[in-house]
Amino acid sequence: MNPIIRFENVTKRFGALTVLDNFNFEVQRGEKVTLIGPSGSGKSTVLRILMTLEPFQDGHLELDGTSYHEPNGRGPFKASEKHLHKIRCSVGMVFQSFNLFPHMTVLRNVVEAPVAVLKMKRDEAESRAIELLRMVGLSDKKDQFPSQLSGGQQQRVAIARALAMRPRVLLFDEPTSALDPQLVGEVLGVIRDLAHEHDLTMLLVTHEMRFAREVSDRVCFFDKGRIVEQGDPERFFSNPQQPRTREFLSSILGDQEPVRESLRCAL
Amino acid sequence: MMYGYAWDTSTPLTFALSILPILGIGLMVTLKAAAVGYAIALVFGLVLALLRRSRIKAISWTVACFTEFVRDTPLLVQLFFLYYVLPEFGIILPAFMTGALALGLQYSAYTSEVYRGGINAVPRGQWEAATALNLSRLQTYRDIVVPQMIPRIVPALGNYLVSMLKETPVLSVVTVLDMLGLANMIGERTFDYLVPLSMVGLIFLPMTLICSALIFAIERALPKSGIPLR
Amino acid sequence: MTWTQYLMPLLKGAQVTVTISLASIAIGAVLAFAAGIARTSSNRFLSGIAFAYIVLFRGTPLLVQLFWFYYALPLIGISFDPVTTGIMVLSLLTGAFGAEVVRGALLSVPPSQLEAARALNFSKTYTLWHISMPQAVIEMMPAFGNLAIQNLKDTALVSLISIADLTFQAQSLRNITLDSATVYTLTLIGYFLIALCLMFAMRFIEMKLRRGPAFPRSAHS
Ligand SMILES: Nc1ncnc2c1ncn2[C@@H]1O[C@H](COP(=O)(O)OP(=O)(O)OP(=O)(O)O)[C@@H](O)[C@H]1O
Ligand SMILES: [Mg+2]
C-alpha cells in the first residue's frame, strides 16, 4: 500500500540555516507516529511543512499521492492557492498554544470552518460540533469563550475544532507543552481515544515519553533535521541502538524520572 | 513681482520655477516658526509636566485641566485668541511671534504628556533605589530618571515636530507670510492658484518625509542598552 | 450685545462643525479601512496606490490640501461647493491617518491566529474579515479616538473656505462686537465640550466592543 505521507529528499532552509537536509520519511495510512528529539531539531518544521505553513526549497513531498508542488507552480510554495487548499482539506493541526479564536464561543470555534470552508449547513455543523465537544468532554462549555476555559479545556476544544474538518492526517505539535502538569492528563486522554481510530493518521511531537510509548505504532528520534533512529516503541525505548538516542533518552527519562520519584518520596 | 522676483506665467513649468525663490523665502519663515514653536513646546511642556507632578493638588489638577483643554481645542481658534486678546492686555507681539507662541502652546500640551509618560515609565523601584542611595531630587532626575526617559520620549517628541511643521501654514491666516501665505498672494495676483499651491504641497512632502526618516534614524541611534522599552 | 446673545450664532456654527466632523469621521473610517487593508494586501498595485495616498495626505499640511481643493482644483474644471470640499478633504486626511492605524492593528494580530486559520483552510478574505478584523478593531479604538478629536480640531480650518462653522461664526461675531476675549473663550469652550462628547462616544463604542469575555484584558496588557 502507498504511504499517505512521503518526504523524498526534502530540504528546508531558513536563510543560511538548513533545518532539513535531504529528509526522507514515510507514514502509512492510519499509522500513529511520534516524533521526539531535542529542541531545534526540526520536528515542528516537519509538521508545519505538512500543514503548508512553511514552504520547502528542494525535494518532493506527497500526501496520499498528491504532490505539494505543482509542475509549474509559482511562489515560495511552488503551487497555486487552490492546490494548497486541496491539500489542506486532508490535514489538520493541533498547536502547542491552542490558537483558538478568542472572539468566538467554543461552539463557533468548532463550527466556523465546516460552515465557511466545507459549506456545511449550520444546523448540521452544530450538531456535529456538539457531538465532537461531547467526545472531548466539553459539551457543557459550548457557549463559553476560550478565555473562560483552562488550558487543558482549550486544547481539547482545539482538537475538536481540527476534527470537525474531517482530516485524514492529524498533526499534533507538542499539544501538552503549554499546559500545567495537572492538565496534561485530560488532553492526553482525548488523544489516546483518537489513537483508536483506524483511519486517522496521526503525527505527534511530544516530550511525554510514556505516552508516546503507549499510543504510537512507531517512534522516530530526530536530531539535526534527520531521523537518527526509529522503530517500534517497545524496542525503541527498551533497547535504543544509537548512542545519540541513548543520550537523549537518558537526559529526558534518566534525569527527570528520579527527580519526580524522589519528590514523591519526600512528600 | 514679489521680493524683487518676477514671475513668468507663460507655462506652468516656468511659472513654478520663477516663484521658487519667493517660496524659498516663505520656507525660511515656515522653518523659523516651527523652530521657535518647537522650542517653546519643549520647554513649556516640561514645565507643565513637572507642575503636574506637584504634591499640591490644586496645582496638579489645574495643570491637568489646562493641558486637556489646550489639547482638545483647535490651534486656529487658540491663534485667534492670542492674536486678538493679547493686545487687549497690552501685550503687542508681531504676528510671527503670536503664531509661534500658539504653536508652542498647543504642542506643549502634547509634549507634557510625552514627558509625563516618560517619567511614569521609569519603574517605581528606580525612585526607591535613588532614595535608598540618598540621592537628592535633582540628582535623581539628572542621573537616574532622565537617562532612562530619553530613549522612550525622543520618538514621540520627534513625531510632534513633524506634525507641528505641517501645521505652520495656519499662521498665514494672521498675515504671516510663510510659504502658504506667499502662495496665496501669488495666486491672488496671477489668478492661478494651481501652480503655487501645488508647489507648496510638493515642497512640504519631501520635507516631512526627510524629517520622519531623520527621526527614525535618531531613534535607532539612541543608546538603549539595558533600558527595557516596553 | 451681552455674551448670552453670542450663543445663538455660536450654536448654529457648532451644528455645522459637528455635522462636518461626524460626516468626515464616518467617510474617513471607510477610507481608513479600505486603504489600511489595501496596504496589508499582497497585491502590489493596490498596496502601492494605498501607500501613495497615505504618504500624500499625511505628508502635506491640511490647510494646503484644503486650499488646493478649493482654489486650485476649479482651475482645471473640477469644483465642489465649500461644504463638500471641506468634508472631502477632512475625510481623505482622517482616512490617511486611520489607514496606518488599521494597518498597525492588522499586523498586531498574532501570527499564530493566522496559522490556525490557514490550518482550517479559511480563504484569505475570510480570514481577514472573520479572524483578523474582529481582533484588530479593538486594538484600533484608542487610536481612532485620538483621530476623531484631531478631526474635530481640524474642522476649524474649513472656516477659511467660507463654511459657517463654529470658528467662522466666532470670527464674524468678533468683527461685529470686537469683544475678542468673550467670543473666543466661548468658542474654545464650545470645541472642548464637543470634544468631550466625542471622547465619551468613542469610549462607549470601545466598551461595547470589549464587553463580554471575548476580550477580557485591555489593549495595553
Ligand atoms: N521562522 C523561522 N525563521 C528562522 N529560523 C527558524 C524559523 N522557525 C524555526 N527556525 C529554526 O529552525 C530550527 C528547527 O526548528 P523547529 O521549530 O522545527 O524545532 P523543534 O524541533 O520543533 O524544536 P522545539 O522542541 O524547540 O519546538 C531551529 O533551529 C529554529 O531556530
Ligand atoms: Mg517545536
Side-chain angles (χ1 to χ4, degrees):
Chain A
M1 208 164 69
N2 283 337
I4 189 161
I5 297 170
R6 196 154 70 96
F7 283 79
E8 204 179 291
N9 295 327
V10 168
T11 298
K12 164 72 187 168
R13 290 183 218 96
F14 287 110
L17 176 73
T18 304
V19 179
L20 299 180
D21 190 8
N22 279 314
F23 179 66
N24 289 293
F25 182 50
E26 288 186 357
V27 178
Q28 299 302 325
R29 215 171 295 269
E31 203 180 3
K32 321 289 184 253
V33 179
T34 306
L35 304 179
I36 62 172
S39 180
S41 56
K43 308 178 297 288
S44 300
T45 305
V46 169
L47 300 196
R48 291 168 58 80
I49 286 176
L50 275 168
M51 192 66 255
T52 73
L53 297 176
E54 293 283 355
F56 54 95
Q57 282 79 27
D58 281 321
H60 189 71
L61 172 58
E62 271 180 14
L63 187 81
D64 210 4
T66 309
S67 167
Y68 271 55
H69 289 169
E70 282 186 307
N72 40 20
R74 289 158 174 274
F77 287 92
K78 302 196 190 103
S80 64
E81 194 50 42
K82 208 173 126 200
H83 184 71
L84 296 175
H85 184 94
K86 212 171 75 198
I87 289 172
R88 284 195 294 260
C89 281
S90 322
V91 191
M93 185 160 181
V94 174
F95 297 88
Q96 182 175 349
S97 51
F98 334 132
N99 300 357
L100 292 181
F101 303 127
H103 56 295
M104 298 180 184
T105 61
V106 164
L107 185 65
R108 254 197 81 194
N109 261 283
V110 182
V111 165
E112 196 74 4
V115 171
V117 180
L118 304 180
K119 311 290 175 209
M120 211 181 268
K121 289 216 181 62
R122 192 163 279 274
D123 330 343
E124 191 192 334
E126 281 189 3
S127 55
R128 245 177 61 75
I130 290 170
E131 194 59 43
L132 286 166
L133 286 172
R134 186 169 303 135
M135 198 197 95
V136 300
L138 289 170
S139 48
D140 54 328
K141 301 278 186 200
K142 68 181 172 62
D143 295 321
Q144 309 235 305
F145 283 90
S147 61
Q148 296 170 302
L149 303 185
S150 73
Q153 292 171 330
Q154 289 189 48
Q155 192 62 299
R156 286 187 279 154
V157 175
I159 294 173
R161 180 176 75 171
L163 286 173
M165 295 298 281
R166 301 183 197 272
R168 278 189 289 163
V169 176
L170 193 50
L171 312 169
F172 294 86
D173 191 2
E174 305 194 29
T176 58
S177 294
L179 299 177
D180 290 339
Q182 75 272 16
L183 301 178
V184 168
E186 61 188 55
V187 173
L188 293 185
V190 170
I191 301 175
R192 188 181 291 121
D193 292 345
L194 277 180
H196 297 308
E197 301 270 338
H198 285 294
D199 301 339
L200 186 66
T201 308
M202 277 171 42
L203 214 54
L204 176 76
V205 175
T206 186
H207 292 302
E208 302 285 335
M209 295 303 150
R210 203 172 289 165
F211 182 72
R213 184 173 190 156
E214 193 186 322
V215 300
S216 41
D217 302 320
R218 176 159 53 118
V219 177
C220 301
F221 173 62
F222 236 77
D223 193 25
K224 303 203 175 80
R226 289 175 174 280
I227 294 175
V228 176
E229 181 169 0
Q230 56 180 320
D232 165 70
E234 284 310 317
R235 191 205 56 72
F236 182 92
F237 285 109
S238 56
N239 186 18
Q241 302 295 310
Q242 301 290 330
R244 195 62 199 87
T245 317
R246 263 180 244 150
E247 203 178 304
F248 175 74
L249 287 180
S250 73
S251 77
I252 285 222
L253 301 168
D255 289 350
Q256 281 177 2
E257 296 287 295
V259 171
R260 278 200 202 147
E261 219 48 55
S262 62
L263 261 178
R264 223 171 279 149
C265 291
L267 287 171
Chain B
M1 175 106 168
M2 219 180 255
Y3 297 123
Y5 296 102
W7 43 71
D8 169 6
T9 54
S10 45
T11 70
L13 187 65
T14 55
F15 187 28
L17 290 176
S18 62
I19 59 173
L20 209 48
I22 306 173
L23 292 180
I25 293 169
L27 176 61
M28 293 323 288
V29 176
T30 297
L31 292 177
K32 251 196 293 187
V36 177
Y38 197 60
I40 296 174
L42 285 184
V43 175
F44 192 52
L46 187 58
V47 173
L48 288 177
L50 292 176
L51 285 177
R52 181 88 192 262
R53 291 179 67 80
S54 160
R55 294 204 183 89
I56 305 162
K57 276 269 160 359
I59 294 181
S60 65
W61 197 81
T62 313
V63 170
C65 288
F66 173 79
T67 330
E68 193 62 40
F69 189 81
V70 173
R71 273 160 61 88
D72 295 338
T73 49
L75 172 65
L76 181 62
V77 184
Q78 291 168 8
L79 177 62
F80 284 146
F81 187 96
L82 295 179
Y83 188 71
Y84 291 113
V85 178
L86 284 186
E88 290 180 8
F89 291 90
I91 306 171
I92 295 163
L93 295 173
F96 173 85
M97 277 316 294
T98 315
L101 194 63
L103 278 173
L105 186 69
Q106 166 117 117
Y107 277 83
S108 65
Y110 292 139
T111 56
S112 82
E113 286 297 306
V114 175
Y115 291 127
R116 208 166 73 89
I119 297 175
N120 288 344
V122 175
R124 202 194 163 88
Q126 295 288 310
W127 295 89
E128 287 169 357
T131 313
L133 292 170
N134 226 348
L135 298 184
S136 73
R137 214 172 152 77
L138 175 71
Q139 283 170 324
T140 307
Y141 272 105
R142 191 191 58 200
D143 300 336
I144 311 293
V145 178
V146 172
Q148 296 191 48
M149 265 173 67
I150 299 273
R152 289 196 176 95
I153 63 175
V154 164
L157 290 179
N159 290 337
Y160 283 133
L161 175 59
V162 179
S163 302
M164 181 186 271
L165 195 58
K166 282 185 292 180
E167 290 214 65
T168 51
V170 172
L171 304 203
S172 66
V173 177
V174 292
T175 73
V176 173
L177 286 180
D178 72 330
M179 249 196 304
L180 182 62
L182 290 171
N184 274 333
M185 277 176 85
I186 297 169
E188 264 164 42
R189 295 196 195 166
T190 60
F191 305 106
D192 180 358
Y193 283 94
L194 187 62
V195 171
L197 285 177
S198 304
M199 289 293 288
V200 176
L202 282 179
I203 295 171
F204 260 105
L205 196 56
M207 210 158 64
T208 52
L209 288 179
I210 291 170
C211 272
S212 300
L214 272 179
I215 286 156
F216 188 67
I218 293 173
E219 188 184 330
R220 298 194 43 172
L222 278 174
K224 306 191 178 72
S225 48
I227 299 172
L229 284 173
R230 298 219 169 237
Chain C
M1 227 171 152
T2 63
W3 71 270
T4 46
Q5 284 168 294
Y6 300 164
L7 290 180
M8 242 2 252
L10 289 182
L11 277 176
K12 249 168 63 194
Q15 206 183 345
V16 174
T17 293
V18 170
T19 311
I20 290 184
S21 184
L22 290 183
S24 57
I25 288 173
I27 301 172
V30 175
L31 287 173
F33 277 97
I37 291 168
R39 273 290 274 143
T40 57
S41 122
S42 50
N43 183 326
R44 289 261 181 81
F45 179 71
L46 276 183
S47 132
I49 289 195
F51 180 71
Y53 156 61
I54 294 168
V55 165
L56 197 62
F57 277 86
R58 285 178 55 121
T60 53
L62 170 61
L63 195 53
V64 175
Q65 294 165 16
L66 215 49
F67 283 173
W68 198 88
F69 276 78
Y70 189 66
Y71 292 114
L73 214 48
L75 297 178
I76 50 174
I78 306 166
S79 66
F80 306 96
D81 64 286
V83 174
T84 312
T85 308
I87 292 178
M88 194 165 67
V89 174
L90 282 168
S91 304
L92 285 165
L93 183 74
T94 305
F97 278 90
E100 289 295 275
V101 174
V102 171
R103 186 173 87 103
L106 283 176
L107 292 181
S108 79
V109 173
S112 59
Q113 287 287 310
L114 304 181
E115 289 183 351
R118 199 168 150 87
L120 291 170
N121 230 340
F122 289 126
S123 69
K124 279 187 181 158
T125 320
Y126 197 89
T127 304
L128 171 66
W129 289 108
H130 292 85
I131 308 296
S132 302
M133 204 48 99
Q135 301 184 53
V137 163
I138 306 267
E139 299 290 316
M140 296 173 199
M141 288 316 292
F144 271 165
N146 291 339
L147 282 184
I149 301 293
Q150 187 62 46
N151 173 287
L152 170 68
K153 297 200 302 173
D154 286 342
T155 58
L157 295 188
V158 301
S159 65
L160 302 174
I161 57 168
S162 76
I163 296 176
D165 75 333
L166 183 49
T167 307
F168 187 93
Q169 296 288 8
Q171 282 293 81
S172 320
L173 270 181
R174 193 212 81 93
N175 290 342
I176 300 165
T177 63
L178 297 179
D179 184 4
S180 314
T182 319
V183 170
Y184 288 124
T185 307
L186 285 175
T187 307
L188 286 171
I189 291 174
Y191 274 107
F192 187 58
L193 292 179
I194 302 173
L196 286 183
C197 295
L198 212 49
M199 266 189 264
F200 277 116
M202 295 304 284
R203 292 266 162 78
F204 181 74
I205 297 175
E206 187 183 348
M207 240 173 53
K208 277 270 174 201
L209 286 175
R210 201 179 279 286
R211 191 146 66 195
F215 297 101
R217 278 168 300 158
S218 83
H220 312 290
S221 65

